């Protein structure tokens, strides 16, 4: 199929938003920008488009999708129970890079939730996807718009690389503001539980949800066949073909370590770049984790072009947005961590 390119930056914004909404209403699948990563959107209330999303991505059937809404009325249709904690989180973190998992009604397709009795819901802040939801009048299921296992797309050209010819259209907007997927919190159990860290940080969550627990799958490799709270956590993700290692070290030890390696790439911080004598790529500033998040997936996508034997990636701190970056990197490195 031909994938239409709907340019909302250089082209006519409203015309292209309306075109995307129309394709979605008619059961098509369209990649759209959000403030986190580009999503592959489909009507959450129809089976067929959801099946097509799984097919286009090559996504395992047991990994449920996030439903995107534009207002609280939509949440009431989708969630069977909205606990006080969810209302507080919605007030504080929506619209924005925050997803809550709640008990569900039958409003959205069973296929969206992969057979679970819960649903993940997010109200994004990016104007274009909000306008598309409003114009179509339907909630949109949207996983990240990449081939399953590849780094999530943070520019429309990443989407085109992965999915051109496999989906109906791409809404070509700006590069994504945050660059990592939303924070996911389960709010249906006895205690709130962080399932995936993102740009809404654990420190911010603790202010609203003092008893929040952190799922151990965030920083550890799940055992074989272990049942994980968020099915997405058990899959190998984001990994380049080049063998990748995550290195926990201070700046001098990191430089000493990589400078002795042959045929390698160092993925490093701006502040330490001058110490490194092997081929290097900067992915942001150590002191500003938002820059690391924003450039992370582009950097991971570019590694294989260099045909190196190995890539050594300097691990960020696990605080603030650093926790989200660390969580993605540990998967990209297939849990190979070197501590110096
Ligand atoms: O920022 C984002 O969240 C992006 C943009 C497009 O909004 N979307 C995204 O979707 O990252 P995806 O499908 O790549 O990740 C969804 C995550 C997966 O880890 C999945 O397992 C989890 O959310 N999830 C979805 N429904 C769930 C549920 N009912 N219970 C537990 N985890 C769930
Ligand atoms: Mg994804």
């Amino acid at each position: 199929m031909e994938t239409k390119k709907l340019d909302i930056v250089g082209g006519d914004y409203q015309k292209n938003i309306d075109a995307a909404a129309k394709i979605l209403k008619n059961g098509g699948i369209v990649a759209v920008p959000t403030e986190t990563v580009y999503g592959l959107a489909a009507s959450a209330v129809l089976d067929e488009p959801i099946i097509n999303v799984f097919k286009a991505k090559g996504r395992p059937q047991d990994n449920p999708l996030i439903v995107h809404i534009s207002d609280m009325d939509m949440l009431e249709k989708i969630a069977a129970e909205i606990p006080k904690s969810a209302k507080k989180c919605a007030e504080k973190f929506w619209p924005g890079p925050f997803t809550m998992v709640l008990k569900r009604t039958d409003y959205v397709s069973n296929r969206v939730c992969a057979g679970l009795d819960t649903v993940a819901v997010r109200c994004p802040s990016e104007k274009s996807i909000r306008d598309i939801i409003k114009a179509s009048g339907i909630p949109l299921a949207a996983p990240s718009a990449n081939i399953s296992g590849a780094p999530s797309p943070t520019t429309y050209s990443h989407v085109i690389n992965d999915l051109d010819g496999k989906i109906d259209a791409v809404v070509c907007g700006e590069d994504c503001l945050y660059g990592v997927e939303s924070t996911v919190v389960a709010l249906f159990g006895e205690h709130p539980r962080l399932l995936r860290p993102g740009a809404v940080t654990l420190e911010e969550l603790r202010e609203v949800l003092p008893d929040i627990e952190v799922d151990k799958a965030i920083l550890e490799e799940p055992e074989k066949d272990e049942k994980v709270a968020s099915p997405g956590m058990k899959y190998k993700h984001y990994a380049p073909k080049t063998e990748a290692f995550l290195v926990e070290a201070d700046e001098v030890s990191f430089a000493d370590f990589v400078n002795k390696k042959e045929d390698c790439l160092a993925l490093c911080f701006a502040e330490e770049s001058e110490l490194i004598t092997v081929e290097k790529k900067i992915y942001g500033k150590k002191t500003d984790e938002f820059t690391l998040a924003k450039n992370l997936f582009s950097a991971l996508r570019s590694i294989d072009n260099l045909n190196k034997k190995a890539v050594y990636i300097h691990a960020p701190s696990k605080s603030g947005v650093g926790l989200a970056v660390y969580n993605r990197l540990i998967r990209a490195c297939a849990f190979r961590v070197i501590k110096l």
Side-chain angles (χ1 to χ4, degrees):
M1 76 168 72
E2 193 213 334
T3 300
K4 283 201 186 102
K5 316 292 183 304
L6 304 172
D7 180 358
I8 56 167
V9 179
D12 185 324
Y13 178 85
Q14 198 54 50
K15 193 175 131 227
N16 285 318
I17 292 292
D18 291 341
K22 191 170 166 201
I23 298 171
L24 288 161
K25 263 212 294 214
N26 292 334
I29 60 178
V30 181
V32 296
T34 86
E35 71 277 24
T36 57
V37 301
Y38 272 72
L40 178 54
S43 165
V45 298
L46 301 173
D47 286 344
E48 188 77 18
I50 302 299
I51 294 170
N52 291 336
V53 164
F54 278 90
K55 254 195 226 155
K57 280 182 59 88
R59 183 178 177 100
Q61 293 287 339
D62 66 346
N63 192 7
L65 312 181
I66 293 174
V67 179
H68 297 69
I69 60 171
S70 56
D71 57 50
M72 292 303 275
D73 290 345
M74 279 188 178
L75 180 66
E76 276 167 25
K77 288 190 195 153
I78 295 169
E81 289 161 35
I82 306 176
K84 239 199 217 143
S85 57
K87 286 187 188 135
K88 274 203 225 159
C89 286
E91 234 166 71
K92 179 111 192 224
F93 304 124
W94 276 358
F98 176 78
T99 297
M100 46 183 145
V101 181
L102 298 168
K103 289 278 181 207
R104 72 184 187 95
T105 63
D106 291 333
Y107 181 67
V108 299
S109 158
N110 276 329
R111 304 262 176 183
V112 170
C113 307
L116 300 172
D117 62 354
T118 53
V119 60
V121 189
R122 173 160 111 82
C123 180
S125 59
E126 160 67 31
K127 176 173 164 40
S128 56
I129 182 172
R130 295 175 61 78
D131 286 346
I132 293 169
I133 300 170
K134 284 185 214 153
S136 65
I138 38 178
L140 298 177
S144 49
N146 51 285
I147 295 286
S148 199
S152 295
T154 53
T155 70
Y156 71 79
S157 32
H158 293 159
V159 179
I160 291 171
N161 273 335
D162 280 15
L163 298 173
D164 200 19
K166 295 183 176 168
I167 61 178
D168 294 292
V170 183
V171 175
C172 302
E174 306 279 3
D175 295 355
C176 301
L177 178 65
Y178 294 113
V180 286
E181 308 89 337
S182 62
T183 304
V184 180
V185 176
L187 286 173
F188 59 84
E190 197 182 327
H191 294 285
R193 177 176 289 261
L194 177 63
L195 301 182
R196 182 174 73 183
V200 168
T201 65
L202 183 56
E203 293 82 351
E204 289 171 303
L205 288 168
R206 284 202 172 113
E207 286 172 23
V208 186
L209 307 167
D211 60 337
I212 190 166
E213 292 172 351
V214 177
D215 202 271
K216 79 180 198 331
I218 285 178
L219 292 176
E220 285 172 32
E221 182 169 20
E223 301 280 328
K224 236 185 166 206
D225 302 325
E226 184 182 350
K227 192 170 180 295
V228 294
S230 178
M233 284 290 184
K234 73 180 184 218
Y235 295 107
K236 186 173 158 193
H237 242 112
Y238 318 118
K241 293 194 182 76
T242 310
E243 204 171 18
F245 299 87
L246 189 60
V247 184
E248 288 185 22
D250 61 40
E251 285 162 45
V252 173
S253 328
F254 180 74
D256 282 349
F257 174 80
V258 291
N259 289 347
K260 289 190 199 112
K261 299 279 178 192
E262 274 168 28
D263 195 24
C264 78
L265 172 74
L267 197 57
C268 66
F269 306 131
E271 292 94 331
E272 67 195 359
S273 162
E274 280 181 1
L275 302 174
I276 294 169
T277 54
V278 292
E279 188 151 353
K280 64 199 163 190
K281 198 176 214 356
I282 294 169
Y283 76 111
K285 282 191 187 160
K286 181 189 171 161
T287 47
D288 181 356
E289 284 115 5
F290 276 96
T291 61
L292 299 172
K294 195 173 166 101
N295 299 321
L296 175 70
F297 291 139
S298 277
L300 288 176
R301 278 178 178 259
S302 67
I303 287 170
D304 289 335
N305 297 335
L306 296 168
N307 285 316
K308 295 287 181 190
K309 210 172 114 208
V311 53
Y312 297 96
I313 306 174
H314 201 166
S317 86
K318 292 176 206 156
S319 60
V321 187
L323 183 65
V325 177
Y326 191 100
N327 167 267
R328 307 316 189 266
L329 280 173
I330 202 171
R331 285 171 169 74
C333 295
F335 297 93
R336 285 181 295 251
V337 181
I338 298 169
K339 294 185 182 176
L340 297 177

